[in-house]
Amino acid sequence: MRALRAGLLGLGMMGRHHARVLRSLDGVELVAVADPGGDPHGVAGGLDVLPDVEKLVTAGIDLCVVAVPTAFHEEVGLVLAAAGVHALVEKPLASTVEGAEKLAAAFEAQGLVGCVGHIERYNPALQALRGRLDHGELGEIYQVITRRQGPFPNRIADVGVTKDLATHDIDSTAWVTRGRYLSVSARTAHKSGREYEDLVAVVGQLDDGTVVNHLVNWLSPMKERVTVVTGERGAFVADTIAADLTFHANGVRPLEWETMASFRGVTEGDMIRYAIPKPEPLRTELTAFRDAILRNRDGAGPDLETDTHTDADPSTGGGDVVGMREGLAIVEVAEAILRSAAQGRTVGLG
């Protein structure tokens, strides 16, 4: 069977990595690239740099990775759907809930694989975390805390920290817990002189009662990417920069110190740092995208939400793609966060 003909729209910081991985995937051939701003990182190789998505479509592509600014996602995505091209759109899916809904509906109507590049799902630490949560190793989940902070990235110009960075944590929290956001309460700050917020603090609740906290900013010289899941048996800490997963168990030894023994809470127990495989998340993501297209081509349907790894080794949480309906839900939560901050109240999600 012939290789899938791939196109890449957007040759910026993320686009150059997509080009590298697409060229290395079995069964995929990168045949066309496009960016109206040219090729600043020299990733086109021997390919012509086309000016727009329409020219990309005329190259006869089967799939396209969209790595352009968020403001253009809806426009170019609808062109790809109309042309019958499977697409992976970098997160967030669109600038607005309405735009995300249009994209999801367009790809569904055409029976195409349409997915969103929420790459943190493919981080080995979060994959391992989800697998272990699925196997009940933590018991009941009480709380999820995420911290994502670092310097401002010059590549971002059209959204704030909520839609650019917090969407990672919204998606990964819902994914690892298999939960859904019921409400959010947030505060934002504008400290760098930009139109959009550069700091957000969120308190939320999932449909099973789990409390979530997200702290995200572009104001810190210290780069941090941490997810802490606390439950009845202890706490998992996922460091997605190092791709490490650590478990802090509740203590089981009796306490002899009278002051501590009177405290009716958990005690410090053993700590385990897991040895886990660490494949490149982008390769895992694009491999899942390729495989979803092959299933679609074989008549199995897009199969966007089937988790085939529930009974697999707990070191992995699965590599399925993030469907556009999931991407839409993430945009809904992000907009609720911004609405909460603007109005100074808790916002519920349907």
Side-chain angles (χ1 to χ4, degrees):
M1 193 172 292
R2 71 171 179 84
L4 294 168
R5 292 172 59 85
L8 173 61
L9 181 63
L11 303 179
M13 293 294 290
M14 197 64 197
R16 64 174 179 170
H17 294 299
H18 279 295
R20 170 180 55 81
V21 176
L22 285 169
R23 285 193 169 102
S24 69
L25 279 188
D26 291 338
V28 175
E29 181 184 3
L30 182 61
V31 298
V33 299
D35 193 316
D39 183 14
H41 302 291
V43 300
L47 300 173
D48 293 334
V49 179
L50 303 175
D52 51 42
V53 64
E54 287 81 9
K55 291 294 184 183
L56 202 60
V57 167
T58 61
I61 56 175
D62 301 306
L63 66 94
C64 184
V65 174
V66 177
V68 297
T70 306
F72 302 109
H73 287 184
E74 179 184 349
E75 175 187 348
V76 301
L78 292 176
V79 172
L80 292 169
V85 177
H86 305 285
L88 184 150
V89 180
E90 271 298 341
K91 61 83 199 160
L93 176 56
S95 297
T96 65
V97 169
E98 293 76 16
E101 170 64 42
K102 287 181 183 178
L103 286 173
F107 279 84
E108 288 170 353
Q110 294 281 59
L112 296 166
V113 175
C115 53
V116 192
H118 282 282
I119 195 169
E120 284 286 59
R121 277 203 196 184
Y122 305 93
N123 187 285
L126 293 178
Q127 292 259 314
L129 172 58
R130 165 143 144 159
R132 293 186 178 279
L133 292 179
D134 279 351
H135 280 71
E137 294 185 17
L138 194 59
E140 182 184 354
I141 298 172
Y142 300 152
Q143 182 183 52
V144 181
I145 297 172
T146 69
R147 300 191 305 274
R148 184 176 297 271
Q149 57 185 344
F152 174 71
N154 291 326
R155 62 183 175 82
I156 301 300
D158 61 340
V159 293
V161 74
T162 303
K163 289 187 176 178
D164 182 64
L165 283 189
T167 48
H168 280 306
D169 298 318
I170 296 165
D171 176 67
S172 62
T173 296
W175 184 69
V176 300
T177 63
R178 297 182 180 270
R180 182 175 61 86
Y181 282 77
L182 282 187
S183 65
V184 290
S185 180
R187 294 294 183 270
T188 57
H190 299 69
K191 300 295 184 181
S192 59
R194 298 175 65 249
E195 175 184 356
Y196 303 100
E197 81 287 349
D198 42 37
L199 180 152
V200 63
V202 184
V203 176
Q205 188 169 40
L206 304 183
D207 53 357
D208 63 356
T210 299
V211 175
V212 300
N213 303 87
H214 303 309
L215 300 176
V216 190
N217 74 65
W218 276 326
L219 301 173
S220 173
M222 175 186 67
K223 190 171 183 179
E224 185 180 32
R225 305 282 187 270
V226 175
T227 297
V228 182
V229 182
T230 302
E232 63 178 317
R233 295 175 186 159
F236 282 109
V237 180
D239 181 336
T240 55
I241 293 178
D244 284 336
L245 180 66
T246 304
F247 178 58
H248 297 258
N250 291 342
V252 294
R253 294 180 181 178
L255 290 168
E256 298 178 0
W257 184 19
E258 182 179 349
T259 302
M260 291 297 293
S262 65
F263 174 66
R264 297 185 179 183
V266 302
T267 60
E268 186 175 357
D270 294 333
M271 183 179 73
I272 303 170
R273 179 176 174 273
Y274 297 104
I276 57 177
K278 296 184 179 182
E280 181 185 4
L282 186 61
R283 174 174 294 277
T284 305
E285 179 181 61
L286 290 176
T287 299
F289 180 40
R290 177 203 63 191
D291 292 348
I293 294 170
L294 293 176
R295 289 194 299 267
N296 179 272
R297 190 166 71 176
D298 292 341
D303 194 19
L304 300 181
E305 298 179 359
T306 300
D307 183 354
T308 58
H309 295 72
T310 301
D311 299 319
D313 187 316
S315 66
T316 176
D320 301 303
V321 296
V322 184
M324 285 189 172
R325 287 290 167 187
E326 293 177 276
L328 166 61
I330 296 159
V331 176
E332 288 176 336
V333 177
E335 290 205 347
I337 288 170
L338 293 174
R339 192 159 64 251
S340 169
Q343 299 174 359
R345 64 179 182 91
T346 298
V347 173
L349 290 122

